[in-house]
Amino acid sequence: KIMLKVNTQFQYKNLSNDFKLNISVTTSSTGITGIYGPSGSGKTTLFKIISGLIRGTKEVITLNNEVICNYKTNKWTPSHKRNFGYVFQDTRLFPHLNVKKNLTFAQKINKNKNYKKISLNKIIDSLGLEELLFKKTHHLSGGQKKLIAIGRALMMDPKVLLLDEPLAGIDQERKKNIISFLNDLSINSNIPILYISHDLNEIKKPVEEEKKNNKKE
């Protein structure tokens, strides 16, 4: 069972407001941890700390028995060595590559090439990407770019998946399918998923989906 523990504080410097982040969170290996709150409450800042893009203070992050960072011992693992999949709000796709090459690019930087939790074909099928594979990203809608970003993150075989507003701009029917897919992924592949949304109903859906699955069992 994979368990992510995060304890950290953070304060932006030289800001007129008094924003301070003080958080302690533990996730399990199954299910999705929803993170909900108003704009400016520190949701994306938390993800940047977990992924190693910024450093917190009094920061302790562990993944099972692996210490990602611990301020007491001056241990801090850089972002590129954490292998945490991060889907940003602005997707950050490579504009010079088509959809398929955006997806497979992750394989080039993934050191764990002998084991994949989920195949490329499964990602393409589950996210409905078949007709988009040879399109350049500037021809895609905002919702389609989100799907590619999710797929690319999964292609890295991430130890943890961080989704920041992943379903913004996606139609309701596809949202339901993706939420179901992510819920199954978190359960069957033991990937802790942290999910930011400003839509409380969107966060509740994976919980309802999980309850349905438990009843079936």
Side-chain angles (χ1 to χ4, degrees):
K1 296 289 185 179
I2 299 174
M3 184 173 290
L4 175 71
K5 294 184 178 181
V6 180
N7 290 277
T8 189
Q9 299 175 7
F10 183 82
Q11 183 173 8
Y12 283 106
K13 296 179 180 179
N14 302 322
L15 286 183
S16 57
N17 59 25
D18 295 322
F19 173 83
K20 293 180 181 179
L21 180 68
N22 190 340
I23 191 164
S24 176
V25 62
T26 299
T27 75
S28 67
S29 61
T30 58
I32 299 172
T33 301
I35 300 173
Y36 169 78
S39 297
S41 60
K43 303 184 298 299
T44 297
T45 298
L46 171 62
F47 273 18
K48 288 181 178 180
I49 290 172
I50 293 174
S51 64
L53 294 178
I54 59 177
R55 296 182 73 155
T57 56
K58 295 185 177 180
E59 183 179 8
V60 179
I61 300 177
T62 60
L63 187 64
N64 280 352
N65 297 322
E66 179 186 358
V67 178
I68 306 299
C69 51
N70 188 331
Y71 74 100
K72 293 179 181 179
T73 60
N74 204 30
K75 165 76 173 179
W76 192 81
T77 304
S79 179
H80 67 278
K81 292 186 177 180
R82 297 189 186 192
N83 194 24
F84 289 1
Y86 192 161
V87 177
F88 298 87
Q89 289 187 33
D90 57 0
T91 68
R92 304 191 184 188
L93 300 178
F94 300 112
H96 62 291
L97 300 179
N98 64 25
V99 168
K100 186 174 182 179
K101 288 183 178 179
N102 262 279
L103 292 172
T104 56
F105 179 84
Q107 292 177 309
K108 297 179 181 179
I109 60 175
N110 180 18
K111 296 179 180 179
N112 185 21
K113 295 181 180 180
N114 296 322
Y115 174 63
K116 291 201 67 61
K117 296 182 179 76
I118 182 169
S119 68
L120 174 61
N121 288 338
K122 176 65 175 176
I123 290 171
I124 291 171
D125 182 60
S126 298
L127 298 179
L129 305 179
E130 181 67 39
E131 296 181 359
L132 304 178
L133 290 179
F134 299 102
K135 289 186 177 182
K136 290 291 184 67
T137 58
H138 61 269
H139 291 305
L140 305 178
S141 68
Q144 289 171 329
K145 290 178 181 179
K146 288 282 187 179
L147 296 176
I148 309 309
I150 293 171
R152 185 177 64 180
L154 290 172
M155 284 294 294
M156 292 181 65
D157 274 347
K159 296 177 180 177
V160 176
L161 188 59
L162 306 171
L163 304 177
D164 193 348
E165 301 280 3
L167 302 186
I170 296 176
D171 63 86
Q172 291 299 319
E173 188 61 32
R174 184 164 283 184
K175 273 186 181 182
K176 290 191 292 185
N177 293 334
I178 295 171
I179 287 172
S180 178
F181 165 67
L182 291 174
N183 191 66
D184 290 343
L185 177 71
S186 68
I187 293 171
N188 298 327
S189 300
N190 289 342
I191 301 176
I193 297 178
L194 279 69
Y195 185 110
I196 287 176
S197 179
H198 67 278
D199 184 345
L200 189 56
N201 289 326
E202 189 174 288
I203 287 200
K204 287 179 178 178
K205 285 178 182 178
V207 177
E208 293 168 355
E209 189 72 28
E210 188 171 357
K211 287 179 179 178
K212 289 179 182 178
N213 291 336
N214 290 337
K215 287 181 179 179
K216 291 177 181 178
E217 294 174 0

